[in-house]
Amino acid sequence: MPRVAICAPSTPMTEEDAARVSRLAGAEFPGMELHFHPQCFLSDGHFAGSDAQRLDALLECANDPAFDAVWFARGGYGACRIAEDAIAKLDHAAQDKAFLGYSDAGYLLGALYRARIGHPIHAPMPNDIRREGGTAAVRRALGYISGDRSGLEPSLDRHPAVAFNLTTLAMLCGTRLMPGLANHIVMVEEVSEHLYAVDRLFFHLTAHLGGIAGLRLGRVSDVPENDRPFGQESEAIARHWCGRHAIPFLGAADIGHDAANRIVPFGLAGRAQGQ
């Protein structure tokens, strides 16, 4: 069974939640070894330790040949501050590892995919144990690590795919971390943004997605109320900006900041047999 290192490139999780994840893994995935790096529980302002501490922990996990996968503890904000330095310092031991996470971890997943290092995977994270129904989300990720492909996003097909938080992917555009996505299906989701902000993000993002095979929209959840209605819902916004840039809009994706968040391996990796 695989050995999994867990670190927190963004914000911290609690030791109590880590223990809940470990108990779940021990009960349902005997033989899997989870190793929570002590850095997961550090606090330095917003972050799980300083930039240097978060970078060091990521490199320790990724460059240790004893681990088969690196699982990012939670999102929030902070991964972009260390991503370029991390990519520059990853060694051969990182090459065959799975890297799992979503939300703010997308900065690292995108950078890894661009650099062709390891196997980036949009997947639930340990801190999702706190969500309503979060046990199922964590179980889905643990199952995938163990070889179970039933948690894959159901629309995955012959096209390479990626999945990102909308803000994260929009911020990646124009940076040295942005992967080439020509001929890919791009899936995006968002949480806790006003609809006018969602519109603004699509304005920027779609200008950088020329040549993709299509866009799918995951859940746009916990939308704050504005002082006036925006007048369009998230799907209409996505359709509008896809139409402006001749990007095929392909409908819904089963991803989001919730316990139902499904798994999307970047590229063509990890497809269920027969897909």
Side-chain angles (χ1 to χ4, degrees):
M1 293 291 284
R3 304 183 76 238
V4 182
I6 301 164
C7 60
S10 306
T11 52
M13 69 180 301
T14 69
E15 295 188 53
E16 292 76 13
D17 288 336
R20 292 175 64 193
V21 173
S22 293
R23 286 195 297 271
L24 174 63
E28 300 188 21
F29 299 90
M32 179 182 288
E33 296 183 25
L34 299 186
H35 296 265
F36 284 87
H37 194 289
Q39 173 270 327
C40 291
F41 316 117
L42 297 181
S43 179
D44 185 352
H46 178 87
F47 307 110
S50 66
D51 288 354
Q53 288 172 317
R54 299 195 322 280
L55 175 62
D56 287 347
L58 172 57
L59 293 173
E60 285 178 29
C61 293
N63 289 339
D64 188 337
F67 293 117
D68 304 294
V70 176
W71 198 12
F72 301 128
R74 66 175 297 182
Y77 173 71
C80 65
R81 295 169 62 102
I82 64 172
E84 284 194 53
D85 289 339
I87 293 298
K89 295 179 180 179
L90 292 174
D91 66 23
H92 65 279
Q95 190 59 51
D96 292 325
K97 283 185 173 62
F99 293 84
L100 300 94
Y102 72 104
S103 188
D104 194 65
Y107 291 107
L108 288 165
L109 299 180
L112 288 162
Y113 194 52
R114 174 182 174 128
R116 299 183 179 181
I117 296 173
H119 307 289
I121 300 158
H122 166 105
M125 295 181 288
N127 203 64
D128 285 324
I129 198 79
R130 300 177 65 91
R131 297 188 185 277
E132 182 178 355
T135 298
V138 172
R139 183 183 292 119
R140 190 177 307 119
L142 292 170
Y144 182 88
I145 294 170
S146 298
D148 179 4
R149 298 298 180 257
S150 64
L152 289 173
E153 203 284 332
S155 71
L156 294 173
D157 61 14
R158 61 183 177 82
H159 292 94
V162 295
F164 287 95
N165 170 258
L166 175 61
T167 297
T168 301
L169 184 56
M171 294 300 101
L172 278 171
C173 292
T175 73
R176 290 178 288 186
L177 303 177
M178 178 68 176
L181 298 178
N183 300 315
H184 284 63
I185 304 285
V186 176
M187 305 182 193
V188 292
E189 53 79 27
E190 190 51 88
V191 64
S192 300
E193 293 286 353
H194 289 87
L195 288 173
Y196 70 79
V198 171
D199 189 75
R200 184 166 56 203
L201 290 163
F202 270 113
F203 154 73
H204 178 69
L205 173 62
T206 51
H208 292 266
L209 293 184
I212 69 169
L215 183 138
R216 288 188 177 275
L217 181 64
R219 288 175 287 281
V220 177
S221 57
D222 297 334
V223 177
E225 289 189 21
N226 197 24
D227 60 351
R228 67 190 70 191
F230 183 69
Q232 288 186 333
E233 295 302 316
S234 56
E235 181 177 327
I237 292 169
R239 287 182 179 275
H240 170 81
W241 289 108
C242 284
R244 289 283 295 266
H245 293 279
I247 295 170
F249 181 77
L250 303 177
D254 196 3
I255 61 170
H257 272 66
D258 53 42
N261 186 25
R262 299 291 286 268
I263 294 170
V264 181
F266 280 33
L268 288 168
R271 295 291 191 270
Q273 188 172 3
Q275 286 190 308

